[in-house]
Amino acid sequence: MQSIIGTFSNNPGPGTNVKSAPSLIHAGKTYEYVDNGEPMRGGMKDVYFGPDKSYVVAFYRDKQDYNSRERLKKLVTQYYDSFFNREGGDYYKELYCWPTDMVEVDGKVGLVVPAYNKNFFFKKGYATSEGIKGKEKQGLWFASAKFRNKQFALRLDESELGNWLSYFQIGVRIARGVKRMHAAGLAHSDLSYKNVLIDPVSKSATIIDIDGLVVPGLYPPDVIGTADFIAPEVLATKHLNLRDPNRKHANRTTDLHALAVMIYMYLLYRHPLKGGKINSLDTEEDDLLSMGEKALFIEHPTDTSNRPKLDQVSKWALPWADVTKLPYTLTGPYLKTLFDQAFVTGLHNPNLRPNADTWEQALLKTTDLMQPCSNAHCNQKWFVFDNSASPKCPFCGTPVKGTVPVLDLYFEFKPTVWKPENHRLMVYHNQYLFQWHVNRNVVRNEKLTAEQKIPVGYFTFFQNKWVFVNQKLTSLKDLTEDKEIPVNTMVDITDGKKLLLSKEEGGRVVVITIANK
């Protein structure tokens, strides 16, 4: 429903008919809405703006039965309170476009939903025309190679695209949104790039179509999902009767398939299952099999039968359709492992799919492996450093210039015994260090305080050498030189050096390697 909020732009003018809708939840409360006789029509609802356009009122065209009413009532009361009226609630208000109230007019039930933040609307049209200017930024615009191909007439304006790092940060926000829903026992049921608005410029995302949320075992899904994101087990059993116990419906694990597909598409601009293999000569049946029962990862490590055939793909899809030139491994080791779990071991075994928290942490750890590309004209601007013999940006081929310090993080397993955390930080000029690097008890998630988000120091290339400038660490120690590094002083970053970042419980040691020497 919410996906049409942004396109409804009738301005209240002469003859405007402002009507009122009484709340079904709060006695005596009403909402005004503008009815010019031509509402925007969604799949199931008619949508009207409030007079100041800060909210919409969306009425279901069909009569809602008792169960539907109860589900909607819970969404705007019990679940709304548990998500937003507690610590951290403000973070989630930006992450979801959540209905705030329920109304009824002439027997028709409606929902009151906040309008989108203005950054979720395109400020510019296509690079060649006004086109989509003013329309909402559905994720589908950013998940396809053609809309960023400089030869494609309907490509997006470069100012709207952000850079590669932007999509990691967007992925983190979406994963957090899914994680919170699942923690509450809810499933989205139709998680897709149509129901997630993203803005690569502000690196933000908002999950919409909340009124379709599923409470497993209590409220079944209304829809099967959006093509490209429906889990294989749902497609493989959709021919069965709706009440057949063997039929698979949208739930937490189908959300996890959709989440994995979305992250893959935002980072690689291609679909993980749409390759060159033909499973049936009947187009409709082939699509059903290829995305369902016979689904196969296009980059499967041992079965290469579904690799995209480059002589059959659109020229606008290149170079991203070329999985040899731009393989999924360029997303780094943490995400490579999760893509294998999602699209190899978990593709037809839903319980083996990575959960949303695992995706969040892998995306965050991967941002610590990123390097800025030195080529000012590189489209992606950032890449994951692979520590090969001659490292270069995989997108534009520009070699890495100069040395790159690599910090491996260690934690105290037991007194005097330190173990590696499988977490490393690649250093670049003027990069910050944060508390979540310093102490393993500070977890980088949506619960970070404002104080915890302040950098504690930074790395810089100064007088032809790498140094770390200590801004806030009160117990930083150079273990190699056996000396304290006071606040507002700096320490040389050299090959083999060990630094104790903090003496507090949870404080880490880093071991430094200088790469690309």
Side-chain angles (χ1 to χ4, degrees):
M1 177 275 293
Q2 287 92 326
S3 62
I4 64 173
I5 292 177
T7 56
F8 181 71
S9 57
N10 291 358
N11 291 312
T16 291
N17 189 3
V18 178
K19 296 183 177 179
S20 293
S23 170
L24 287 173
I25 308 297
H26 305 101
K29 187 165 188 175
T30 61
Y31 296 87
E32 291 186 330
Y33 63 98
V34 179
D35 182 4
N36 287 334
E38 295 181 1
M40 285 302 298
R41 291 174 64 85
M44 297 183 288
K45 294 182 282 294
D46 293 331
V47 183
Y48 304 86
F49 260 108
D52 66 354
K53 295 197 172 185
S54 65
Y55 63 88
V56 298
V57 181
F59 291 101
Y60 287 88
R61 286 191 288 276
D62 294 338
K63 186 177 178 63
Q64 300 298 293
D65 62 19
Y66 176 80
N67 280 345
S68 296
R69 284 171 170 259
E70 287 301 300
R71 182 170 67 85
L72 296 174
K73 190 179 294 184
K74 274 196 170 186
L75 280 177
V76 300
T77 55
Q78 177 185 327
Y79 289 115
Y80 185 92
D81 288 342
S82 70
F83 272 70
F84 307 113
N85 293 337
R86 59 173 58 185
E87 186 182 4
D90 287 344
Y91 181 89
Y92 293 112
K93 279 184 179 175
E94 293 183 10
L95 193 47
Y96 304 107
C97 191
W98 199 288
T100 57
D101 209 344
M102 185 176 171
V103 296
E104 186 170 16
V105 173
D106 298 332
K108 288 192 173 183
V109 170
L111 292 173
V112 179
V113 188
Y116 305 143
N117 189 305
K118 62 182 180 182
N119 61 299
F120 292 116
F121 298 96
F122 284 104
K123 292 180 177 62
K124 294 192 175 181
Y126 300 117
T128 54
S129 69
E130 288 293 282
I132 55 170
K133 183 178 179 180
K135 292 189 177 180
E136 65 266 26
K137 296 181 179 179
Q138 288 189 358
L140 63 90
W141 294 106
F142 303 96
S144 171
K146 67 181 180 181
F147 293 119
R148 59 184 61 240
N149 190 310
K150 291 188 176 180
Q151 308 304 315
F152 187 55
L154 300 183
R155 68 190 183 278
L156 299 179
D157 191 273
E158 282 188 29
S159 65
E160 302 277 18
L161 290 175
N163 56 54
W164 206 47
L165 181 58
S166 307
Y167 296 91
F168 282 81
Q169 293 158 319
I170 286 167
V172 167
R173 294 182 71 85
I174 297 169
R176 284 176 178 167
V178 174
K179 176 182 71 173
R180 182 65 185 88
M181 285 190 295
H182 290 178
L186 300 170
H188 187 280
S189 81
D190 192 10
L191 194 66
S192 73
Y193 51 32
K194 286 189 175 181
N195 289 327
V196 178
L197 303 184
I198 71 171
D199 176 33
V201 180
S202 62
K203 305 170 183 61
S204 53
T206 187
I207 299 173
I208 65 175
D209 218 12
I210 296 295
D211 59 305
L213 284 182
V214 171
V215 184
L218 189 59
Y219 301 119
D222 292 327
V223 294
I224 189 173
T226 297
D228 288 2
F229 295 88
I230 304 170
E233 66 273 14
V234 175
L235 282 176
T237 60
K238 72 174 246 183
H239 63 283
L240 299 174
N241 185 280
L242 196 62
R243 301 293 172 221
D244 190 311
N246 292 314
R247 179 161 174 174
K248 305 299 181 186
H249 298 280
N251 58 39
R252 174 184 157 278
T253 59
T254 64
D255 275 358
L256 295 179
H257 172 76
L259 176 63
V261 172
M262 206 179 311
I263 291 170
Y264 183 94
M265 294 189 75
Y266 284 149
L267 298 182
L268 296 164
Y269 317 125
R270 59 182 181 243
H271 195 283
L273 305 180
K274 291 190 168 183
K277 188 173 184 178
I278 297 174
N279 290 294
S280 171
L281 294 178
D282 179 278
T283 304
E284 191 172 324
E285 185 181 8
D286 179 59
D287 194 51
L288 189 63
L289 289 171
S290 299
M291 301 291 281
E293 181 186 345
K294 302 283 188 181
L296 178 67
F297 184 30
I298 62 172
E299 299 187 78
H300 194 288
T302 57
D303 186 345
T304 61
S305 61
N306 197 30
R307 292 284 162 94
K309 293 180 170 60
L310 297 187
D311 60 344
Q312 296 176 3
V313 301
S314 163
K315 64 180 181 179
W316 311 121
L318 295 171
W320 295 97
D322 188 343
V323 299
T324 302
K325 183 175 182 179
L326 294 170
Y328 74 122
T329 51
L330 61 79
T331 62
Y334 309 124
L335 290 178
K336 188 267 183 192
T337 298
L338 293 196
F339 285 137
D340 285 342
Q341 289 178 23
F343 301 133
V344 181
T345 56
L347 187 60
H348 297 286
N349 195 335
N351 291 327
L352 296 181
R353 292 170 188 159
N355 63 31
D357 180 61
T358 306
W359 282 110
E360 176 191 347
Q361 295 307 316
L363 287 161
L364 288 171
K365 286 170 69 175
T366 302
T367 63
D368 281 343
L369 300 179
M370 305 280 266
Q371 288 279 299
C373 181
S374 61
N375 175 9
H377 301 291
C378 178
N379 290 331
Q380 303 305 108
K381 309 296 185 198
W382 292 84
F383 64 95
V384 174
F385 186 85
D386 67 359
N387 206 16
S388 61
S390 53
K392 61 183 179 181
C393 172
F395 307 116
C396 70
T398 303
V400 174
K401 297 173 183 175
T403 58
V404 179
V406 183
L407 276 59
D408 282 296
L409 277 53
Y410 285 73
F411 73 101
E412 194 169 24
F413 178 65
K414 57 185 179 181
T416 73
V417 178
W418 295 80
K419 288 193 171 184
E421 287 215 44
N422 187 31
H423 186 175
R424 61 175 30 171
L425 181 64
M426 311 298 305
V427 172
Y428 52 85
H429 183 55
N430 288 342
Q431 182 190 27
Y432 288 122
L433 189 76
F434 291 92
Q435 286 191 37
W436 57 78
H437 297 123
V438 172
N439 194 307
R440 73 191 316 246
N441 293 332
V442 179
V443 181
R444 188 181 177 187
N445 60 23
E446 70 278 9
K447 296 176 183 175
L448 285 171
T449 65
E451 175 68 24
Q452 289 171 330
K453 294 177 183 178
I454 298 173
V456 296
Y458 63 92
F459 300 91
T460 189
F461 197 67
F462 177 69
Q463 294 183 347
N464 212 32
K465 63 181 180 180
W466 285 102
V467 296
F468 173 71
V469 179
N470 180 14
Q471 294 176 296
K472 288 183 171 291
L473 298 176
T474 56
S475 55
L476 176 64
K477 184 176 182 180
D478 183 336
L479 297 178
T480 304
E481 302 286 338
D482 191 27
K483 65 178 184 181
E484 307 288 334
I485 312 297
V487 173
N488 295 326
T489 67
M490 59 189 183
V491 57
D492 289 353
I493 299 298
T494 56
D495 199 38
K497 179 164 285 191
K498 295 179 182 177
L499 298 176
L500 174 66
L501 300 180
S502 171
K503 292 177 181 176
E504 296 177 9
E505 183 181 348
R508 291 190 174 101
V509 163
V510 293
V511 178
I512 300 165
T513 306
I514 303 297
N516 202 37
K517 289 187 289 188

